[in-house]
Amino acid sequence: MGGEGAIRTCGELAAGDEIEAWHNGKLFHRGRVTQTIPPMELFWILDARTGARKLLDVEALEIVRCAPASRLGVTAGLAQPA
């Protein structure tokens, strides 16, 4: 997690990017970016675990770009929000 691949602004993302979203050292979301809203620092992903669209906030989570995941094993390590 983290390091050089860390995304600091929504402007660094583009539709099609594969990302992971971390909070307090736990992986909460992984998926493909479908749309960005740079003025609000928000972006939509298609969540790899659920297939649902998720709206994420660059300022609230640690976002890192990652390699595309296969459908198998994607859920391993994903934290379940309370």
Side-chain angles (χ1 to χ4, degrees), residues 9-11 13 33 35-44 54-60:
T9 69
C10 192
L13 293 170
V33 174
Q35 181 182 3
T36 63
I37 310 166
M40 299 179 77
E41 293 299 336
L42 300 172
F43 65 98
W44 288 95
K54 301 282 183 177
L55 182 63
L56 303 182
D57 183 345
V58 172
E59 296 175 356

Side-chain angles (χ1 to χ4, degrees), residues 1-14 17-23 33 41 43 57-59 61-67:
M1 169 184 73
E4 291 181 29
I7 303 298
R8 303 207 190 295
T9 69
C10 192
E12 298 174 57
L13 293 170
D17 286 349
E18 294 283 336
I19 62 93
E20 291 180 340
W22 295 79
H23 182 66
V33 174
E41 293 299 336
F43 65 98
D57 183 345
V58 172
E59 296 175 356
L61 298 162
E62 182 177 357
I63 308 299
V64 293
R65 194 173 278 112
C66 59

